[in-house]
């Protein structure tokens, strides 16, 4: 008999080995880790981050794993929950289609590796496989930017619950599960994954502060799936093969192309070509316009009070209350409002946790300027997206000093694209990490973390790395 999809994924997981990873996978795994530690450190005083920390403490435990930016060592489940929420709190975290993958798959990788004192090479392999598997599921199901040639074709059900497979695989890899146990773990993950709630979230403003999916909840769901298999539970092995009654139905996807999950698995690594890092602590949809606006403001030394109007043309996928709302009731709302984001960007403040300081978010300068911002879909959006998956055409016009200043972008900063300037360099990611870590850990430990992460293959015990990020 041919193997089920979960059995093929289990075989892939057991076969992943650092020595056979392509160089680009190793590079991106390290960059993801450094960026995520920084995002977590920057979020310890944020609403979502603080709640994640408190819940992680409630989970208690024996002190196996570190809550980043704190003195707490708690259970693997508690640390994974807290760190998932911290990584995602600023909306500054790395993105990979279907969107936010890292906060759902990395925290439990870190916690399991720390608690089991796994070497850096195994951590790199686990990060790589979790992102690769998640990316392949994205290629198989409905997506936020599904479209026809002329309009969006948005599914009524969207979300990131399918990242549970990559997360569960990473846990099993670090724990040394056999292919049989891994297959059961992945099948249990399918049957216990969180709901896909993103579509409702897009439609309602003000939005739920748990965001598109609660990162902490998914980290714990993946740990539960892995541990249940380890303890002896059997999963529904055909769950991914049964298009009528299986996982496809659970997540409500209209599109189901499971061949994209397994084609070339273990031979072709697809995720590095679309792995993206965020230069701004704001929803990714606004990054191309923000980059264009930053150019105008910096090149002309514009002050917010001088700006009479900001006109933005950008993504056609964002015509939903979440992004179009000007009601800023909570700092969370500032992460998604197009008008508010551009108003903050016009203040030319270094992208950092400072963007979510209530004194800035609710300042008269920002709120008044927000009312002078307008948004429309870019006329070239569909053609550009069809030509390249990373294209996000944007145009910004700023009226000030009796002049209209204009800047355009095709690709947003942070993505690997045909424009080599858009990829964030190691130096840029290190600078971002330092900005996020500032005031939380001393510079000497920032230096140690950077050195350890970029030399991770030579680290014997991953616990020595993550504990550098404790307060």
């Amino acid at each position: 008999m041919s193997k089920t999809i979960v059995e093929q994924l289990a075989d892939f997981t057991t076969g992943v080995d650092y020595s056979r990873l392509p160089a680009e996978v190793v590079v991106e795994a390290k960059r993801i880790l450094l960026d995520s530690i920084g995002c977590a450190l920057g979020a310890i005083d944020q609403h979502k981050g603080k709640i994640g920390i408190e819940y992680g403490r409630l989970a208690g435990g024996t002190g196996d794993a570190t809550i980043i930016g704190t003195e707490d060592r708690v259970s693997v489940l508690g640390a994974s929950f807290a760190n998932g929420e911290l990584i995602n709190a600023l909306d500054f975290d790395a993105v990979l289609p279907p969107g936010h993958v890292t906060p759902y798959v990395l925290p439990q990788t870190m916690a399991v590796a720390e608690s089991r004192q796994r070497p850096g090479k195994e951590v790199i392999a686990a990060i790589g496989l979790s992102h690769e598997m998640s990316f392949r599921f994205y290629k198989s199901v409905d997506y936020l930017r599904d479209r026809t040639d002329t309009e969006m074709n948005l599914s009524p059900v969207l979300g990131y619950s399918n990242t549970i497979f990559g997360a569960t695989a990473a846990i099993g890899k670090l724990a040394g599960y056999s292919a049989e146990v891994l297959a059961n773990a992945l099948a249990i993950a399918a049957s216990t994954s969180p709901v896909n709630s993103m579509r409702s979230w897009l439609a309602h403003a003000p939005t739920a502060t748990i965001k598109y999916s609660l990162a902490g909840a998914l980290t714990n769901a993946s740990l539960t799936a892995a541990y249940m298999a380890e303890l002896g539970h059997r999963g529904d092995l055909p769950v991914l093969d049964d298009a009528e009654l299986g996982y496809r139905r659970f997540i409500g996807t209209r599109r189901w192309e499971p061949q994209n999950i397994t084609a070339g698995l273990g031979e072709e690594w697809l995720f590095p070509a679309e792995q993206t890092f965020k230069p701004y602590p704001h929803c990714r949809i606004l990054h191309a316009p923000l980059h264009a606006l930053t150019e105008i403001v910096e090149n002309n030394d514009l002050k917010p009070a001088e700006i009479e109007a900001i006109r933005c043309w950008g993504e056609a996928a964002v015509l939903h209350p979440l992004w179009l709302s000007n009601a800023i009731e909570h700092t969370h709302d500032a992460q998604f409002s197009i008008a508010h984001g551009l108003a903050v960007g016009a203040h030319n403040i270094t992208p950092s946790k400072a963007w979510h300081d209530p004194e800035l978010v609710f300042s008269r300068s920002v709120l008044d300027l927000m009312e002078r911002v307008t948004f429309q879909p870019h006329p070239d959006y569909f053609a550009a997206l069809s030509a390249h998956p990373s294209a996000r055409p944007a145009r910004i016009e700023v009226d000030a000093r009796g002049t209209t200043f204009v800047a355009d972008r095709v690709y947003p900063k942070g993505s690997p694209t045909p424009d080599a300037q858009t990829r964030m360099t190691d130096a840029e990611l290190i600078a971002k990490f330092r900005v996020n870590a500032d005031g939380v850990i001393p510079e000497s430990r920032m230096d140690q973390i950077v050195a350890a992460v970029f030399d991770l293959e030579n680290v014997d015990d991953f616990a020595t790395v993550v504990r550098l990020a404790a307060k």
Side-chain angles (χ1 to χ4, degrees), residues 197-230:
S197 60
M198 184 179 182
R199 190 66 179 84
S200 174
W201 184 74
L202 296 178
H204 303 139
T207 61
T209 56
I210 64 170
K211 296 190 179 181
Y212 15 76
S213 293
L214 190 64
L218 193 137
T219 67
N220 279 202
S222 62
L223 286 160
T224 298
Y227 292 154
M228 289 302 98
E230 181 179 353

Side-chain angles (χ1 to χ4, degrees), residues 128-179:
L129 77 87
S130 64
H131 284 74
E132 179 68 15
M133 201 175 289
S134 298
F135 182 76
R136 285 171 172 269
F137 270 89
Y138 138 72
K139 301 284 282 185
S140 307
V141 299
D142 291 337
Y143 178 45
L144 175 64
R145 293 182 176 84
D146 284 344
R147 66 201 186 282
T148 67
D149 290 338
T150 58
E151 62 183 4
M152 302 308 300
N153 183 26
L154 198 63
S155 170
V157 183
L158 288 171
Y160 302 141
S161 66
N162 58 41
T163 58
I164 196 170
F165 297 104
T168 303
I171 296 162
K173 180 67 176 177
L174 290 165
Y177 292 177
S178 67

Side-chain angles (χ1 to χ4, degrees), residues 154-311:
L154 198 63
S155 170
V157 183
L158 288 171
Y160 302 141
S161 66
N162 58 41
T163 58
I164 196 170
F165 297 104
T168 303
I171 296 162
K173 180 67 176 177
L174 290 165
Y177 292 177
S178 67
E180 180 181 4
V181 173
L182 268 165
N184 283 308
L186 292 165
I188 293 168
S191 299
T192 57
S193 70
V195 299
N196 268 337
S197 60
M198 184 179 182
R199 190 66 179 84
S200 174
W201 184 74
L202 296 178
H204 303 139
T207 61
T209 56
I210 64 170
K211 296 190 179 181
Y212 15 76
S213 293
L214 190 64
L218 193 137
T219 67
N220 279 202
S222 62
L223 286 160
T224 298
Y227 292 154
M228 289 302 98
E230 181 179 353
L231 293 169
H233 268 300
R234 179 176 62 200
D236 179 10
L237 295 183
V239 68
L240 294 179
D241 300 271
D242 188 341
E244 180 60 28
L245 302 175
Y247 185 70
R248 174 194 185 171
R249 291 294 185 195
F250 304 170
I251 61 168
T253 183
R254 299 175 301 183
R255 181 167 64 93
W256 183 239
E257 300 175 3
Q259 69 276 8
N260 293 334
I261 300 173
T262 56
L265 191 63
E267 299 171 4
E268 299 176 78
W269 290 81
L270 307 177
F271 87 89
E274 295 194 42
Q275 181 61 54
T276 292
F277 297 90
K278 298 176 75 170
Y280 302 97
H282 195 284
C283 181
R284 182 63 175 164
I285 60 94
L286 199 58
H287 278 52
L290 278 170
H291 200 212
L293 177 62
T294 298
E295 174 188 294
I296 292 172
V297 170
E298 289 184 349
N299 288 352
N300 299 282
D301 194 26
L302 292 182
K303 307 304 179 190
E306 297 180 285
I307 297 175
E308 299 169 6
I310 299 174
R311 291 179 293 279

